[in-house]
Amino acid sequence: MDECIFCKIIKGEIPSNKVYENKNFFAFLDIGPVNKGHTLVIPKKHYKNLLDMPEEELKGYMETIQKVSNAVKKGVNAEGISINMSNESAAGQVVMHAHFHLIPRFKDDGLRLWPQGRYKEGEADKIKDKITNCLESSN
Ligand code: AMP
Ligand code: ZN
């Protein structure tokens, strides 16, 4: 993807604060940190998001995320890490190259990731059925 900003970062055409890389993945500081140390972990191959990544990439991706999360947590003396990924623009994805956000967390840092709602009577059961039907048809 010639115009993809994260592909350019991997190639070194755009500068970044790289924290880690291995054969298939690359981690660097987010330019607009939610908390200091906020890091993005991306595959070196261009995929739009998690939904189009091949299964064989996923084990290495999660191992890299765990490794970098431990380093970020220790490096900035965080008390926890929130790991977040937006898939598709409706979910808030702005850069269309797969990326997990590793966000260092501190007690009382005031971050509220999302408000929660409630199901009406019988609604959760219907929604659960719609999802499980899709899983059955994808097997
Ligand atoms: P998302 O909204 O999940 O697509 O997140 C995209 C993230 O990429 C945002 O948090 C941006 O701050 C970050 N970002 C965009 N451009 C750069 C860049 N050149 N270097 C580092 N982070 C970037
Ligand atoms: Zn890309």
Side-chain angles (χ1 to χ4, degrees):
M1 287 296 262
D2 286 349
E3 352 58 88
C4 171
I5 186 166
F6 286 178
C7 284
K8 286 184 178 170
I9 284 177
I10 292 161
K11 285 188 264 174
E13 292 170 12
I14 291 179
S16 72
N17 289 108
K18 180 178 98 176
V19 299
Y20 178 74
E21 80 176 300
N22 58 28
K23 188 163 166 270
N24 295 323
F25 301 97
F26 189 96
F28 58 106
L29 292 185
D30 194 296
I31 206 169
V34 172
N35 281 330
K36 304 285 165 66
H38 177 171
T39 297
L40 302 175
V41 183
I42 65 178
K44 287 187 175 174
K45 276 194 206 153
H46 181 95
Y47 302 107
K48 186 179 178 194
N49 55 45
L50 190 69
L51 307 183
D52 72 346
M53 285 186 71
E55 202 178 326
E56 57 269 23
E57 292 270 27
L58 302 182
K59 183 168 178 282
Y61 202 8
M62 204 42 77
E63 285 167 355
T64 306
I65 286 161
Q66 185 193 48
K67 184 185 182 79
V68 178
S69 291
N70 276 310
V72 169
K73 181 170 177 280
K74 214 169 159 186
V76 300
N77 289 316
E79 294 161 290
I81 295 270
S82 288
I83 298 176
N84 173 272
M85 184 185 220
S86 301
N87 293 276
E88 308 295 344
S89 39
Q93 183 178 7
V94 174
V95 177
M96 293 298 161
H97 181 128
H99 54 281
F100 273 89
H101 293 260
L102 315 184
I103 302 171
R105 298 300 306 275
F106 303 88
K107 281 198 188 85
D108 306 322
D109 64 12
L111 256 189
R112 291 274 174 277
L113 290 186
W114 38 59
Q116 288 182 277
R118 290 273 180 276
Y119 288 112
K120 293 186 201 123
E121 182 73 31
E123 195 184 10
D125 199 39
K126 284 192 192 130
I127 290 174
K128 177 261 298 170
D129 283 346
K130 285 185 187 177
I131 297 169
T132 53
N133 287 341
C134 292
L135 284 165
E136 278 155 24
S137 62
S138 73
N139 279 338

